[in-house]
Structure formats: structure tokens, C-alpha cells
Amino acid sequence: MNKTGFSLFGQLQKELTEFFQDKIKIAGVQSENPMVSSVGFEFSQWETLNTVELYYNSKFESGELDSEGQRKVFLNISQFKADVASKQVDLDIKDFLFVPQEPDSEWGAFFLNKKFRQWAKRNYFGKLINEVVMDYPKYGTAVLKKVGKELERVPLMTLRNEQSAKDLQCAKYVIEEHKDWTYSDLEKMKDWDLEGIKVAWDDKMTVYERYGRVPLDWYKKQKGMKVDDGDEMKSIDTMSIIVPTLNEKGEIDGGNMLFLEEIDERPYQEVHWKKIDGRWLGVGEIENQFENQIFRNMITNLRRRGLLWAGKKVFQSTDTEIAKNLVRDVKDGQVLKIMPNGNITQVNTTTQSL
């Protein structure tokens, strides 16, 4: 394994490109033609999460207007299922019980229960539980992160990881994207090297928090350590903080590494609603309803278009002297003069299938 020329910025760009552009094959038939993609079930974590967020909030990927400029109707049938599932697995602070292992330690368990409730109230632990309970059936996965002695919820829309990983501990890379950070936000972090960050105090930037393996010899060079023989063949798991710079194509071509540290364990805990082999992201109730939601919206908007036409009053006549618009040009009680062979009939715009 040749680690020569390793660049953390290049590796970050490679991993982000893989996450946003590549799809993993779950099942299906492989085409014999190498120029034709395989037929079957291909999965993109980013596309799935993006669709879940849109559908949960009753939004179309193509916008609210159709090709004719008419407002489309989103008849949401999936949000209710996710909300009901959240209620079914809802937890409260009162559900946490401390049971003594020995009969003579009952008072210890009693006071520990009181102490836990005070800690939960002080640290808004109930609010954190509610957020996790909402994510769990909605996205199919919920992730918590240990930061110091505290637990934080990780929004899945900011997480970029190996799509086919079994879990985040063994994933090739796990990246958190922190948008709209300012220099004052960076100053709050301890042990971060801010030298080289040349921005105004209120300029917004994107900060990447990456967990992944790097070559051991490269790591030692960054830390000013002695490189031993054989280090180029080894790798270690690290946590790094990166503020990248982008070129004209929008690709990462450098930047500032604010922090780099070897780690023994990644700070994530995860739970999945339903798992499918071959992909990390679980399957939630919104994704379960993807096809049903598509066809429910299709039928609803076909009916809407039919009702729009059914509500129109259109007339036809062979007389060229008749008013062009009966609503605008004809007054109540007015007598119309029609030629001997002329007539006025209504055009049938009703849709019988409705």
C-alpha cells in the first residue's frame, strides 16, 4: 500500500464526491453491456434523505408549479405514519428506572434516581430524547454524538459517510458538515490552530469534521514525530477539523487543517428503524411510502386538472356576430341576435371518469 503523496484535502474531496455522486447497488440484474448501468435497486443516501425531508414537509422536488404554471397539490400520506410511529416509541424521563442489585441498596437507587432527574432537567435530556424519537422512524436512523460529557443529536442532513458501511465505527470515513460558522465560533474551540485563517470576524465558512484513517507516516510528519521504517504501510484512525478553500470548479484544492488527533473510538452511537443489507442508512416510514406518495400525488393532480376543465363554461357558435365572451360582454337580461343558421351551445368539458 503506497501512501506517497497523501493529501487530507484531496482525500476529503474524494470522499465528498463519492457520497454525493455515487450510488451503491443493493440488488438487481447486472447488464451484460458494460456501457449500460445495472438494472435494479441502486441507492443514494443523499438523494434518499433529501426526498424524505421534502416529502415530510409536503414539498415537490420539481417545485410547487407544474409546466402550465398551475399550483400542484401535495396530498401527504406519509407524515402521519412517521408521527404515529414516533408516539409509539416515545420515551420520557419518568421511564428511566434505577433498580437496586442488592436489597440493602434501595436507598442508593432512590437517591440516584432523584439525582438523574435533576441532571436530565439541567441538561435538557428530555428535549434530546424527543428529537431522537422524531428522527428514528422519520429517516430510519438516529445518531447521537458524545461531546465531552454531553450528548448531542447529529442531524443526518449534515452527515456524509460511507454509504455501504455496517456502522459508523467501521465506516471508511464519517464527515460532519458545519455550515455558516464564523471566526468567533472557531475561537470558542480549544486546541484549534487558527493560524492562517484570514477572514473577517463575521464571514461565514463551512467547517468539516472528519473521522477516518490516514497514513501513519503522514500523521507523524504533521505532528513532527520521527517516521520509522514500515510506517508508510500502516494507517491510523484520526479526527480532523478542516476549513477548505475551493477552486473555480467548486472543488477543494487546499485550505487549513485546524486540528488533527489520533483516536481509539469514534464518538457516535446509532439506532436504526429497519435495516437493509448493503446500506448504512435505515429505512423509515417516509421512505416506506415513497411509491404510494408519488402515485397519490399523481392521481390527485390529474383530478385537479380535470376539475379545472369541468369548472370552465365554454360555448360554441356558428354565428360570427355573437359576443366573444358571454360573461364579460353580455349583460343580465340582454337579448342576443342570432343569424338564421346560427346557434349557441355549451362545449362539454366534464370528465366522466371523475
Side-chain angles (χ1 to χ4, degrees), residues 261-273:
E261 183 180 54
E262 181 181 3
I263 58 175
D264 297 323
E265 184 181 8
R266 296 173 184 175
Y268 298 106
Q269 294 292 332
E270 62 197 72
V271 62
H272 303 279
W273 185 254

Side-chain angles (χ1 to χ4, degrees), residues 10-176:
Q11 185 68 21
L12 177 64
Q13 177 62 61
K14 177 183 177 181
E15 292 164 352
L16 293 176
T17 300
E18 176 185 303
F19 178 80
F20 285 109
Q21 298 184 8
D22 292 356
K23 293 185 177 182
I24 56 176
K25 181 177 175 60
I26 305 297
V29 180
Q30 182 66 40
S31 173
E32 296 180 357
N33 186 350
M35 302 300 294
V36 179
S37 61
S38 60
V39 180
F41 180 15
E42 291 187 330
F43 170 76
S44 168
Q45 182 173 316
W46 169 248
E47 290 181 2
T48 301
L49 289 172
N50 194 54
T51 304
V52 167
E53 199 66 44
L54 288 170
Y55 283 14
Y56 185 82
N57 292 284
S58 303
K59 300 297 181 181
F60 289 97
E61 296 181 48
S62 57
E64 297 182 349
L65 303 180
D66 61 16
S67 58
E68 299 175 354
Q70 298 289 337
R71 176 74 159 78
K72 292 186 292 186
V73 177
F74 195 107
L75 190 61
N76 200 318
I77 63 172
S78 54
Q79 184 188 85
F80 172 76
K81 294 181 179 293
D83 291 344
V84 170
S86 296
K87 292 299 182 183
Q88 291 176 333
V89 298
D90 193 15
L91 289 174
D92 292 313
I93 300 302
K94 65 178 182 293
D95 297 321
F96 289 81
L97 301 177
F98 293 84
V99 180
Q101 294 181 342
E102 301 294 338
D104 58 353
S105 61
E106 292 182 1
W107 285 108
F110 174 80
F111 288 115
L112 186 59
N113 181 61
K114 295 292 185 180
K115 186 175 182 180
F116 168 75
R117 295 197 177 199
Q118 292 177 351
W119 174 87
K121 183 178 180 180
R122 185 170 60 252
N123 292 276
Y124 302 99
F125 189 59
K127 179 176 180 292
L128 177 64
I129 293 175
N130 292 335
E131 292 175 347
V132 172
V133 166
M134 287 296 296
D135 284 352
Y136 185 32
K138 175 183 175 182
Y139 298 108
T141 294
V143 178
L144 287 177
K145 176 184 175 185
K146 186 177 180 181
V147 181
K149 296 182 179 181
E150 305 297 330
L151 286 175
E152 293 183 359
R153 166 183 168 266
V154 178
L156 295 188
M157 293 295 289
T158 67
L159 196 65
R160 291 84 173 89
N161 57 275
E162 184 187 9
Q163 301 182 74
S164 59
K166 181 181 179 181
D167 54 56
L168 295 181
Q169 294 297 328
C170 64
K172 292 181 180 178
Y173 60 90
V174 180
I175 302 168
E176 285 187 65

Side-chain angles (χ1 to χ4, degrees), residues 110-346:
F110 174 80
F111 288 115
L112 186 59
N113 181 61
K114 295 292 185 180
K115 186 175 182 180
F116 168 75
R117 295 197 177 199
Q118 292 177 351
W119 174 87
K121 183 178 180 180
R122 185 170 60 252
N123 292 276
Y124 302 99
F125 189 59
K127 179 176 180 292
L128 177 64
I129 293 175
N130 292 335
E131 292 175 347
V132 172
V133 166
M134 287 296 296
D135 284 352
Y136 185 32
K138 175 183 175 182
Y139 298 108
T141 294
V143 178
L144 287 177
K145 176 184 175 185
K146 186 177 180 181
V147 181
K149 296 182 179 181
E150 305 297 330
L151 286 175
E152 293 183 359
R153 166 183 168 266
V154 178
L156 295 188
M157 293 295 289
T158 67
L159 196 65
R160 291 84 173 89
N161 57 275
E162 184 187 9
Q163 301 182 74
S164 59
K166 181 181 179 181
D167 54 56
L168 295 181
Q169 294 297 328
C170 64
K172 292 181 180 178
Y173 60 90
V174 180
I175 302 168
E176 285 187 65
E177 184 180 281
H178 306 286
K179 288 187 175 181
D180 299 332
W181 277 32
T182 62
Y183 191 83
S184 58
D185 295 323
L186 300 180
E187 286 183 316
K188 298 176 184 178
M189 304 301 172
K190 297 180 179 179
D191 303 324
W192 285 17
D193 182 11
L194 304 185
E195 185 178 355
I197 300 290
K198 299 179 180 179
V199 294
W201 67 273
D202 60 344
D203 282 351
K204 294 182 178 180
M205 65 190 84
T206 299
V207 180
Y208 290 96
E209 180 179 348
R210 178 188 181 272
Y211 296 85
R213 303 194 72 83
V214 300
L216 179 57
D217 60 340
W218 177 87
Y219 175 81
K220 287 186 174 182
K221 290 178 181 178
Q222 299 299 316
K223 291 293 186 178
M225 302 166 60
K226 179 183 177 182
V227 178
D228 300 324
D229 294 338
D231 284 348
E232 69 278 2
M233 304 294 293
K234 301 176 183 178
S235 65
I236 58 173
D237 204 17
T238 60
M239 178 266 201
S240 55
I241 303 295
I242 304 168
V243 178
T245 56
L246 307 179
N247 57 24
E248 296 178 354
K249 298 180 180 180
E251 299 175 343
I252 298 173
D253 63 353
N256 298 94
M257 182 174 63
L258 310 186
F259 185 81
L260 178 65
E261 183 180 54
E262 181 181 3
I263 58 175
D264 297 323
E265 184 181 8
R266 296 173 184 175
Y268 298 106
Q269 294 292 332
E270 62 197 72
V271 62
H272 303 279
W273 185 254
K274 184 172 68 175
K275 285 287 288 181
I276 291 180
D277 290 338
R279 54 180 268 188
W280 172 78
L281 184 68
V283 181
E285 290 303 313
I286 304 295
E287 186 178 353
N288 276 334
Q289 299 298 321
F290 274 1
E291 291 298 311
N292 295 337
Q293 185 67 72
I294 290 172
F295 282 95
R296 172 61 71 182
N297 288 341
M298 184 184 299
I299 293 171
T300 300
N301 283 281
L302 284 173
R303 288 179 173 175
R304 175 188 63 84
R305 291 165 62 90
L307 288 172
L308 285 174
W309 274 107
K312 294 180 182 294
K313 300 297 182 181
V314 182
F315 299 87
Q316 59 184 354
S317 174
T318 58
D319 194 338
T320 59
E321 301 300 324
I322 294 297
K324 298 297 183 182
N325 190 310
L326 296 180
V327 175
R328 185 179 64 246
D329 300 334
V330 177
K331 297 181 180 180
D332 189 20
Q334 182 175 345
V335 178
L336 298 178
K337 296 180 179 180
I338 303 175
M339 300 296 289
N341 294 327
N343 62 351
I344 298 177
T345 58
Q346 184 174 348

